Amino acid sequence: MNRSRPVYFRNSLDLRDKVQVKTLRKRLKLSPDQFADALRKSGNSISALVKEASAARPVKLEA
């Protein structure tokens, strides 16, 4: 039988893998709603998600 091997890309998020999604969400320190919003805006590219997450987080002002 000819079966196609699964193709994994290092720089894209596999949304079917719950562990990968949970790990990335915790690493970016986003709530599930914020993560879903960033994912909708930027797609499944990890680098784009990191950029979107940094823009979504509030900026801390040092006094």
Side-chain angles (χ1 to χ4, degrees), residues 17-29:
D17 188 0
K18 291 181 183 180
V19 174
Q20 189 178 16
V21 171
K22 184 178 178 180
T23 304
L24 184 63
R25 186 181 64 79
K26 285 191 174 203
R27 190 182 92 188
L28 296 176
K29 297 177 183 171

Side-chain angles (χ1 to χ4, degrees), residues 8-14 20 44-49:
Y8 299 108
F9 295 105
R10 293 178 67 185
N11 60 348
S12 65
L13 180 65
D14 183 12
Q20 189 178 16
N44 66 345
S45 170
I46 292 176
S47 60
L49 278 169

